[in-house]
mmCIF file of all heavy atoms in Angstrom:
data_model
loop_
_atom_site.group_PDB
_atom_site.id
_atom_site.type_symbol
_atom_site.label_atom_id
_atom_site.label_comp_id
_atom_site.label_asym_id
_atom_site.label_seq_id
_atom_site.Cartn_x
_atom_site.Cartn_y
_atom_site.Cartn_z
ATOM 1 N N LYS A 117 -19.627 11.901 25.918
ATOM 2 C CA LYS A 117 -19.713 10.746 25.005
ATOM 3 C C LYS A 117 -18.841 9.585 25.466
ATOM 4 O O LYS A 117 -19.220 8.417 25.343
ATOM 5 C CB LYS A 117 -19.342 11.170 23.580
ATOM 6 C CG LYS A 117 -17.930 11.679 23.432
ATOM 7 C CD LYS A 117 -17.853 12.913 22.574
ATOM 8 C CE LYS A 117 -18.059 14.115 23.462
ATOM 9 N NZ LYS A 117 -17.959 15.391 22.833
ATOM 10 N N ALA A 142 -26.473 16.067 23.744
ATOM 11 C CA ALA A 142 -25.263 16.820 23.376
ATOM 12 C C ALA A 142 -24.040 15.927 23.183
ATOM 13 O O ALA A 142 -22.999 16.388 22.727
ATOM 14 C CB ALA A 142 -24.960 17.864 24.448
ATOM 15 N N ALA A 143 -24.160 14.644 23.529
ATOM 16 C CA ALA A 143 -22.979 13.778 23.457
ATOM 17 C C ALA A 143 -22.632 13.387 22.032
ATOM 18 O O ALA A 143 -21.494 13.022 21.747
ATOM 19 C CB ALA A 143 -23.199 12.526 24.312
ATOM 20 N N ALA A 145 -22.678 14.479 18.032
ATOM 21 C CA ALA A 145 -22.867 15.445 16.944
ATOM 22 C C ALA A 145 -23.426 16.784 17.419
ATOM 23 O O ALA A 145 -24.243 17.413 16.738
ATOM 24 C CB ALA A 145 -23.745 14.839 15.842
ATOM 25 N N GLY A 146 -22.957 17.231 18.569
ATOM 26 C CA GLY A 146 -23.241 18.582 19.072
ATOM 27 C C GLY A 146 -24.700 18.971 18.992
ATOM 28 O O GLY A 146 -25.551 18.398 19.665
ATOM 29 N N MET A 170 -18.772 12.513 12.287
ATOM 30 C CA MET A 170 -19.151 12.986 13.616
ATOM 31 C C MET A 170 -17.996 13.624 14.370
ATOM 32 O O MET A 170 -18.060 13.784 15.578
ATOM 33 C CB MET A 170 -19.741 11.822 14.417
ATOM 34 C CG MET A 170 -21.082 11.389 13.852
ATOM 35 S SD MET A 170 -21.798 10.004 14.699
ATOM 36 C CE MET A 170 -20.960 8.649 13.913
ATOM 37 N N ASN A 171 -16.950 13.956 13.654
ATOM 38 C CA ASN A 171 -15.880 14.738 14.271
ATOM 39 C C ASN A 171 -15.565 15.905 13.350
ATOM 40 O O ASN A 171 -15.004 15.729 12.269
ATOM 41 C CB ASN A 171 -14.639 13.888 14.531
ATOM 42 C CG ASN A 171 -13.567 14.691 15.255
ATOM 43 O OD1 ASN A 171 -12.801 15.414 14.639
ATOM 44 N ND2 ASN A 171 -13.541 14.620 16.567
ATOM 45 N N GLY A 172 -15.958 17.092 13.809
ATOM 46 C CA GLY A 172 -15.816 18.289 12.981
ATOM 47 C C GLY A 172 -14.361 18.627 12.711
ATOM 48 O O GLY A 172 -14.019 19.134 11.626
ATOM 49 N N THR A 173 -13.495 18.367 13.681
ATOM 50 C CA THR A 173 -12.083 18.705 13.512
ATOM 51 C C THR A 173 -11.483 17.899 12.357
ATOM 52 O O THR A 173 -10.753 18.439 11.513
ATOM 53 C CB THR A 173 -11.314 18.431 14.821
ATOM 54 O OG1 THR A 173 -11.964 19.163 15.862
ATOM 55 C CG2 THR A 173 -9.870 18.837 14.720
ATOM 56 N N CYS A 174 -11.792 16.611 12.313
ATOM 57 C CA CYS A 174 -11.271 15.782 11.213
ATOM 58 C C CYS A 174 -11.840 16.254 9.882
ATOM 59 O O CYS A 174 -11.120 16.300 8.875
ATOM 60 C CB CYS A 174 -11.631 14.313 11.432
ATOM 61 S SG CYS A 174 -10.679 13.574 12.760
ATOM 62 N N TYR A 200 -9.112 24.086 17.477
ATOM 63 C CA TYR A 200 -10.107 23.077 17.107
ATOM 64 C C TYR A 200 -9.826 21.714 17.731
ATOM 65 O O TYR A 200 -10.708 20.862 17.776
ATOM 66 C CB TYR A 200 -10.133 22.883 15.584
ATOM 67 C CG TYR A 200 -10.717 24.042 14.805
ATOM 68 C CD1 TYR A 200 -10.722 24.025 13.412
ATOM 69 C CD2 TYR A 200 -11.260 25.153 15.442
ATOM 70 C CE1 TYR A 200 -11.253 25.079 12.683
ATOM 71 C CE2 TYR A 200 -11.781 26.208 14.712
ATOM 72 C CZ TYR A 200 -11.780 26.169 13.341
ATOM 73 O OH TYR A 200 -12.299 27.196 12.612
ATOM 74 N N LEU A 201 -8.589 21.490 18.143
ATOM 75 C CA LEU A 201 -8.223 20.154 18.613
ATOM 76 C C LEU A 201 -8.540 19.973 20.092
ATOM 77 O O LEU A 201 -8.405 20.909 20.886
ATOM 78 C CB LEU A 201 -6.734 19.910 18.378
ATOM 79 C CG LEU A 201 -6.338 19.708 16.913
ATOM 80 C CD1 LEU A 201 -4.848 19.955 16.715
ATOM 81 C CD2 LEU A 201 -6.680 18.302 16.451
ATOM 82 N N GLU A 202 -8.951 18.776 20.446
ATOM 83 C CA GLU A 202 -9.114 18.434 21.856
ATOM 84 C C GLU A 202 -7.748 18.544 22.542
ATOM 85 O O GLU A 202 -6.713 18.477 21.876
ATOM 86 C CB GLU A 202 -9.615 16.991 21.989
ATOM 87 C CG GLU A 202 -10.951 16.707 21.331
ATOM 88 C CD GLU A 202 -12.152 17.084 22.185
ATOM 89 O OE1 GLU A 202 -12.001 17.271 23.400
ATOM 90 O OE2 GLU A 202 -13.247 17.210 21.614
ATOM 91 N N LEU A 207 -7.754 12.078 20.358
ATOM 92 C CA LEU A 207 -9.204 11.856 20.452
ATOM 93 C C LEU A 207 -9.870 12.244 19.137
ATOM 94 O O LEU A 207 -10.777 11.567 18.665
ATOM 95 C CB LEU A 207 -9.801 12.679 21.600
ATOM 96 C CG LEU A 207 -9.447 12.233 23.018
ATOM 97 C CD1 LEU A 207 -9.999 13.214 24.035
ATOM 98 C CD2 LEU A 207 -9.974 10.839 23.287
ATOM 99 N N ASP A 208 -9.410 13.343 18.533
ATOM 100 C CA ASP A 208 -9.970 13.784 17.254
ATOM 101 C C ASP A 208 -9.375 12.972 16.103
ATOM 102 O O ASP A 208 -10.067 12.175 15.468
ATOM 103 C CB ASP A 208 -9.671 15.277 17.022
ATOM 104 C CG ASP A 208 -10.503 16.195 17.901
ATOM 105 O OD1 ASP A 208 -11.716 15.953 18.025
ATOM 106 O OD2 ASP A 208 -9.951 17.158 18.451
ATOM 107 N N ASP A 213 -12.908 10.057 19.448
ATOM 108 C CA ASP A 213 -14.104 10.857 19.769
ATOM 109 C C ASP A 213 -15.287 10.434 18.879
ATOM 110 O O ASP A 213 -16.401 10.202 19.358
ATOM 111 C CB ASP A 213 -13.753 12.345 19.560
ATOM 112 C CG ASP A 213 -14.958 13.253 19.566
ATOM 113 O OD1 ASP A 213 -15.398 13.626 20.656
ATOM 114 O OD2 ASP A 213 -15.464 13.585 18.468
ATOM 115 N N LYS A 217 -19.036 8.358 19.764
ATOM 116 C CA LYS A 217 -20.374 8.763 19.297
ATOM 117 C C LYS A 217 -21.035 7.620 18.520
ATOM 118 O O LYS A 217 -22.231 7.344 18.688
ATOM 119 C CB LYS A 217 -20.245 10.016 18.428
ATOM 120 C CG LYS A 217 -19.709 11.226 19.223
ATOM 121 C CD LYS A 217 -19.268 12.366 18.307
ATOM 122 C CE LYS A 217 -18.683 13.517 19.106
ATOM 123 N NZ LYS A 217 -17.973 14.510 18.292
ATOM 124 N N GLY A 292 -16.126 22.105 9.654
ATOM 125 C CA GLY A 292 -16.396 21.427 10.928
ATOM 126 C C GLY A 292 -17.798 20.888 11.083
ATOM 127 O O GLY A 292 -18.184 20.461 12.173
ATOM 128 N N ASN A 294 -21.044 18.437 10.941
ATOM 129 C CA ASN A 294 -21.276 16.989 11.109
ATOM 130 C C ASN A 294 -22.482 16.561 10.285
ATOM 131 O O ASN A 294 -23.345 17.388 9.964
ATOM 132 C CB ASN A 294 -21.600 16.644 12.573
ATOM 133 C CG ASN A 294 -20.392 16.601 13.489
ATOM 134 O OD1 ASN A 294 -20.455 16.058 14.581
ATOM 135 N ND2 ASN A 294 -19.284 17.193 13.085
ATOM 136 N N GLY A 312 -21.472 20.300 14.832
ATOM 137 C CA GLY A 312 -21.199 19.179 15.722
ATOM 138 C C GLY A 312 -20.455 19.565 16.974
ATOM 139 O O GLY A 312 -20.166 18.718 17.820
ATOM 140 N N ALA A 313 -20.139 20.828 17.115
ATOM 141 C CA ALA A 313 -19.382 21.265 18.289
ATOM 142 C C ALA A 313 -19.612 22.755 18.471
ATOM 143 O O ALA A 313 -20.283 23.399 17.668
ATOM 144 C CB ALA A 313 -17.893 20.956 18.095
ATOM 145 N N GLY A 314 -19.021 23.293 19.529
ATOM 146 C CA GLY A 314 -19.112 24.732 19.758
ATOM 147 C C GLY A 314 -20.108 25.064 20.851
ATOM 148 O O GLY A 314 -20.976 24.253 21.200
HETATM 149 N N1 LIG B 1561 -13.728 17.524 19.044
HETATM 150 C C1 LIG B 1561 -15.040 17.229 18.581
HETATM 151 C C2 LIG B 1561 -15.129 17.567 17.108
HETATM 152 C C3 LIG B 1561 -16.124 17.960 19.307
HETATM 153 O O1 LIG B 1561 -14.178 18.100 16.542
HETATM 154 O O2 LIG B 1561 -16.154 17.313 16.517
HETATM 155 C C4 LIG B 1561 -16.505 17.296 20.594
HETATM 156 O O3 LIG B 1561 -16.891 15.978 20.399
#
Side-chain angles (χ1 to χ4, degrees):
K117 62 223 88 177
M170 291 178 277
N171 184 277
T173 305
C174 288
Y200 289 176
L201 288 160
E202 300 277 343
L207 290 175
D208 287 316
D213 168 83
K217 296 166 183 167
N294 282 197

